[in-house]
Amino acid sequence: MIRSYLIKLVGIVVVASAAGVTHMLLGPQIKLHPNDPEVQTIDLGAPDAAPASADPAEDPTTDQPTDAEAGSDPVPAGDGTLVLDSLEISLEQAKALYDNGLADFIDARPAAEYAKGHIYGSWNVPPSAFDRSTPTVVDLIDPDRIVVVYCTGGDCHDSHIVIREIQEIRPELTKLHVFTDGYPGWAGAGYETDIGADPFAETGG
Amino acid sequence: MSDMRRRGPQYTGRFASWLSLIGRLVAGQIFIFAGLNKVVDPQGVADAINGFGLINNDTLITVAAYVMPWTEILAGVLLVAGLFSRAAATIIILLLAAFVGAILNAIDQGKVLDCGCFGDLKLFCTGQLGNCNVVQNGILAAFALLPLVIGGGRASADALLQSDDSGFEGPEIEEEAFD
């Protein structure tokens, strides 16, 4: 009796595996990681060299806080160069980009988490925002701008998913990075944060 | 129970047979629904598996993303049909146990995740992954446990096959353990 039961058990697993493997061979290829960004060497002594968006009034991605607004301690001119040669960037690199106004920040956490606290000036684009349509903010990203995406740090994959989705929609964007320490790292370091929902998230972003 | 004892084993058998049918239909249909939602979006399933962080091999994640939904669909269909009921119920309970383990691990590590239990849909538990998902899977496992313990029961292919083999109308419950 037990033998018959085990045969049926194994049979179900074998048939399901065969169906799954056939689907895998015939179906779309799964992509777990985003493409690597282009290598950039940024002279922090000349932050003005970074291109800015044409019309800040119409482009929400340029609404990053100035150093005065955020009350931050900017990286001083002539402090050196910032090399971004990998997808993932550190807290120091993210802070340097933020302080010099070189990047737009995207928070990939769910809206509820974003509302509780987020990097000042960041936009809320969780992976679920791509389920039905393209989030508004993605259409407005300036290809010349660096985009830093973060979530809860650690082995959180939502930033990677958001970057991969953005790359699928706008392959011309090659300056997308993951801030690996995420919001806990940023807030833990005492850097500028804000609370409240993202108004653009309500309209698809 | 005392009422069942007064009425005898035949009544108890009929009651158990109905319980098995209910367990089969509830657990089976929910797994078919969950599997169908996942099978159309293997990328989403792979992202969900990746999010839990329990498998670090891309190939394994990809294989799991394609095989798991088909396992859910097949086990669900067999359970609803009452064919190989105990084996199908075992598969479903093992899957649910694995899900609960992964969920508890994610909660323990303070991860903010979507369950991915029904693809993009949030059927019973809204919000982020949490204790609701553990309770949900526990209730589903309880439904799946009924056909595992009782057998195919009423309106099952198992009972039909058994009655054909024995040449009479057939018992309400499979008498042979784990057949």
Side-chain angles (χ1 to χ4, degrees), chain A residues 1-2 4-5 8-9 12-13 15-17 19-21 23-24 27-33 110 113 131 152 155 157-158 161 164, chain B residues 39 42-43 46-47 50-51 58 61-63 65-67 70-71 74 78 84 86-88 90-91 111-112 120 128 176-179:
Chain A
M1 306 306 167
I2 293 290
S4 165
Y5 163 77
K8 288 168 185 171
L9 199 66
I12 294 172
V13 172
V15 171
S17 300
V21 170
H23 186 188
M24 186 172 73
Q29 191 177 2
I30 285 176
K31 191 176 177 186
L32 290 170
H33 307 287
E113 294 295 316
D131 288 347
T152 54
D155 53 1
H157 288 274
D158 285 354
I161 295 171
R164 197 189 62 221
Chain B
V39 84
Q43 179 72 62
D47 286 337
N50 206 11
D58 287 2
I61 291 173
T62 303
V63 171
Y66 278 104
V67 170
W70 284 107
T71 309
L74 183 60
L78 289 174
F84 309 152
R86 284 187 161 119
T90 305
I91 299 274
K111 290 184 178 176
V112 181
D120 290 335
Q128 297 304 304
E176 295 174 30
F178 292 92
D179 188 12

Side-chain angles (χ1 to χ4, degrees), chain A residues 5, chain B residues 13 15-25 78-79 81-89 143-159 162 171-179:
Chain A
Y5 163 77
Chain B
F15 180 72
S17 184
W18 276 106
L19 273 183
S20 176
L21 175 63
I22 292 168
R24 274 174 38 221
L25 292 182
L78 289 174
L79 207 56
L83 182 64
F84 309 152
S85 304
R86 284 187 161 119
F143 277 110
L145 201 60
L146 295 171
L148 177 63
V149 173
I150 299 168
R154 185 172 291 272
S156 69
D158 286 335
Q162 206 171 12
E172 294 280 356
I173 312 170
E174 293 167 70
E175 296 293 334
E176 295 174 30
F178 292 92
D179 188 12

Side-chain angles (χ1 to χ4, degrees), chain B residues 102-125:
Chain B
I103 292 167
L104 289 175
N105 178 65
I107 293 172
D108 183 51
Q109 293 188 4
K111 290 184 178 176
V112 181
L113 294 173
D114 276 328
C115 178
C117 308
F118 300 97
D120 290 335
L121 296 176
K122 290 179 179 176
L123 206 58
F124 302 115
C125 299

Side-chain angles (χ1 to χ4, degrees), chain A residues 5-47:
Chain A
Y5 163 77
L6 289 175
I7 289 171
K8 288 168 185 171
L9 199 66
V10 172
I12 294 172
V13 172
V14 168
V15 171
S17 300
V21 170
T22 306
H23 186 188
M24 186 172 73
L25 295 174
L26 301 175
Q29 191 177 2
I30 285 176
K31 191 176 177 186
L32 290 170
H33 307 287
N35 299 328
D36 283 333
E38 65 178 62
V39 177
Q40 294 169 90
T41 303
I42 302 162
D43 183 3
L44 292 179

Side-chain angles (χ1 to χ4, degrees), chain B residues 125-168:
Chain B
C125 299
T126 55
Q128 297 304 304
L129 193 70
N131 292 328
C132 174
N133 300 99
V134 177
V135 173
Q136 169 192 285
N137 286 357
I139 292 170
L140 266 176
F143 277 110
L145 201 60
L146 295 171
L148 177 63
V149 173
I150 299 168
R154 185 172 291 272
S156 69
D158 286 335
L160 198 67
L161 291 172
Q162 206 171 12
S163 67
D164 285 349
D165 289 346
S166 57
F168 65 90

